[in-house]
Amino acid sequence: MNEQELSSLWSNFERLTGKIADGSEAKEAGLSNLTMALGDRLIMCPAEPRNDSPGCAPGGLVSQAIAVAKGMKKLNDTFEMDAPVSSILLVGLFHEIGKVGSIEDSYFIPEDEAWRREKLGSFYKPNEKLSRMTVPERSLYLLQHFGIPLSEEEFLAIRGPSKAPDWVESRLAPTAEPTLTILLRGARDILIRKVVT
């Protein structure tokens, strides 16, 4: 993407983020602080490290996040699932914010081995300086760090699947899947299918 395309993408992302607060001052302040603190790194963040994956370029993460949020909204409207638009936008836009990295350091750094770039198509690699966390864990950490309150459904959708079913807690837990989780999984599956075909 060129500079003008990145600027347009960022404007669209900020416009959609502005629709999330839904009257909550804490949420509005948290989102504002997050985008101010991570903005440059967020817009430059790729969605994936390899060039055979969609979003392996600056702007990739934001572009995919917008596509997922729009897909969630379309599924919600089509199937009359009644999920709040503010929750759809929050989950769709920020479910993979953990790919930006920590407050200080980027998650993806340029691959410095020519062989890996040429033979494997790996343009980026994970930053070994970061503490060991999954992308959903880091996403939830960043959202709480900036004081963005989440509903239980929003938290569960971003967290993704729980522990393996052999855990006692999982066997005893209710099995109903929240609407936002269904919408997120559906939108991501559709996005992947569109890119692959």
Side-chain angles (χ1 to χ4, degrees):
M1 279 189 202
N2 63 38
E3 193 173 319
Q4 185 177 2
E5 290 170 324
L6 286 172
S7 178
S8 175
L9 185 65
W10 184 251
S11 294
N12 193 17
F13 183 81
E14 283 187 313
R15 182 183 58 78
L16 292 172
T17 300
K19 296 180 177 185
I20 294 173
D22 203 25
S24 166
E25 289 180 24
K27 199 170 273 189
E28 185 176 344
L31 289 165
S32 176
N33 290 337
L34 182 148
T35 54
M36 283 176 44
L38 302 177
D40 290 343
R41 286 180 38 223
L42 177 55
I43 192 60
M44 296 307 291
C45 186
E48 298 295 335
R50 293 174 46 136
N51 69 352
D52 60 352
S53 301
C56 178
L61 181 61
V62 170
S63 180
Q64 279 195 6
I66 291 170
V68 167
K70 287 180 177 179
M72 289 176 69
K73 171 92 170 63
K74 191 169 191 173
L75 288 171
N76 186 58
D77 294 347
T78 301
F79 295 104
E80 300 175 354
M81 297 179 82
D82 297 324
V85 173
S86 59
S87 291
I88 289 171
L89 289 172
L90 178 61
V91 169
L93 294 176
F94 293 98
H95 70 284
E96 288 192 324
I97 191 80
K99 287 183 177 179
V100 171
S102 68
I103 306 302
E104 301 86 20
D105 296 308
S106 295
Y107 180 83
F108 288 122
I109 57 175
E111 177 57 69
D112 50 4
E113 291 184 37
W115 182 87
R116 297 184 71 77
R117 283 195 313 273
E118 293 167 16
K119 301 293 183 195
L120 303 177
S122 291
F123 284 32
Y124 301 94
K125 63 182 178 180
N127 187 345
E128 296 296 325
K129 285 196 246 177
L130 295 180
S131 57
R132 188 174 183 90
M133 274 193 234
T134 64
V135 170
E137 288 170 343
R138 193 171 300 281
S139 297
L140 290 167
Y141 171 78
L142 287 171
L143 291 168
Q144 70 80 35
H145 175 82
F146 287 100
I148 300 166
L150 299 175
S151 69
E152 183 175 306
E153 268 204 51
E154 291 164 350
F155 176 91
L156 291 172
I158 293 169
R159 185 205 62 194
S162 187
K163 297 174 184 172
D166 58 337
W167 285 66
V168 173
E169 297 91 12
S170 293
R171 287 197 308 248
L172 299 176
T175 57
E177 200 163 31
T179 301
L180 287 173
T181 302
I182 295 166
L183 292 171
L184 177 60
R185 187 176 55 239
R188 290 184 67 188
D189 287 349
I190 290 168
L191 177 65
I192 290 167
R193 200 172 292 255
K194 280 173 112 175
V195 171
V196 171
T197 56

